[in-house]
Amino acid sequence: MITNRTFTMLKPDSVSKGNIGAILEKINASGFKIVAMKLTQLSREDAEKFYAVHKELPFFDKLVTFMTSGPIVAAILEKENAVEDFRLLIGATNPDDAVEGTIRKSFATSVTENAVHGSDSDENAALESEFHFSKNEIFG
Ligand code: ATP
Ligand code: MG
């Protein structure tokens, strides 16, 4: 299992609004090192697989449609306590509930268009990283 690493996506809203640079700056300033990164677009199949835990929930179709609507930036980040610290940095799922200074407070506009994804456990960080990157695309 990968330790001290988390997986993130800058979601389609972040890419289309030109917020990639500002968000990456915040990530770097918070002590995370980027060990893998790519601009890519999820297929419907990819997004349904990635968010499979939510497939019975009412917002699933909206979520998949949004996540496949344009390119995303996928990245693996390294820092001590990466999963937990990154969740603190991104803030609450709904930007209305996100604390001042968090990425979602600054860049998200709704619970769907909420700027970034962050893994919720070391186990999921490893699975999500493997889903998006092959071994020779991960550095460090
Ligand atoms: P993510 O997994 O994208 O980092 P999260 O862990 O904060 O977000 P989850 O509960 O895993 O939140 O939900 C995944 C995504 O589904 C959210 O980022 C959001 O875009 C969407 N979502 C969650 N709850 C709702 C809701 N009540 N209504 C609409 N969309 C929702
Ligand atoms: Mg989640």
Side-chain angles (χ1 to χ4, degrees):
M1 183 190 293
I2 298 170
T3 56
N4 295 333
R5 284 184 179 177
T6 192
F7 172 79
T8 186
M9 292 183 283
L10 311 194
K11 296 187 179 184
D13 55 327
S14 296
V15 176
S16 66
K17 289 178 191 160
N19 289 334
I20 296 174
I23 294 174
L24 290 179
E25 199 163 290
K26 205 155 185 160
I27 289 172
N28 277 325
S30 303
F32 293 89
K33 180 181 165 195
I34 295 165
V35 297
M37 187 163 69
K38 69 171 98 173
L39 188 66
T40 184
Q41 185 161 1
L42 298 175
S43 66
R44 198 150 186 103
E45 195 188 346
D46 289 340
E48 284 175 356
K49 213 156 144 194
F50 192 88
Y51 283 113
V53 303
H54 299 306
K55 71 171 180 290
E56 306 303 333
L57 296 176
F59 58 82
F60 182 69
D61 197 58
K62 198 173 170 189
L63 172 63
V64 168
T65 298
F66 168 62
M67 287 303 296
T68 57
S69 66
I72 59 155
V73 174
I76 302 173
L77 306 174
E78 198 168 78
K79 182 183 185 291
E80 211 174 290
N81 204 32
V83 167
E84 207 180 313
D85 284 3
F86 193 68
R87 296 289 302 195
L88 287 174
L89 178 63
I90 69 178
T93 308
N94 186 338
D96 292 343
D97 303 328
V99 170
E100 204 63 51
T102 60
I103 291 175
R104 282 171 169 162
K105 182 70 178 182
S106 302
F107 299 105
T109 48
S110 71
V111 71
T112 301
E113 303 204 4
N114 64 359
V116 280
H117 161 79
S119 305
D120 58 12
S121 66
D122 282 352
E123 191 189 0
N124 282 337
L127 291 171
E128 292 170 4
S129 295
E130 280 167 26
F131 184 85
H132 284 272
F133 293 99
S134 57
K135 279 208 172 69
N136 66 356
E137 293 177 309
I138 304 172
F139 301 88

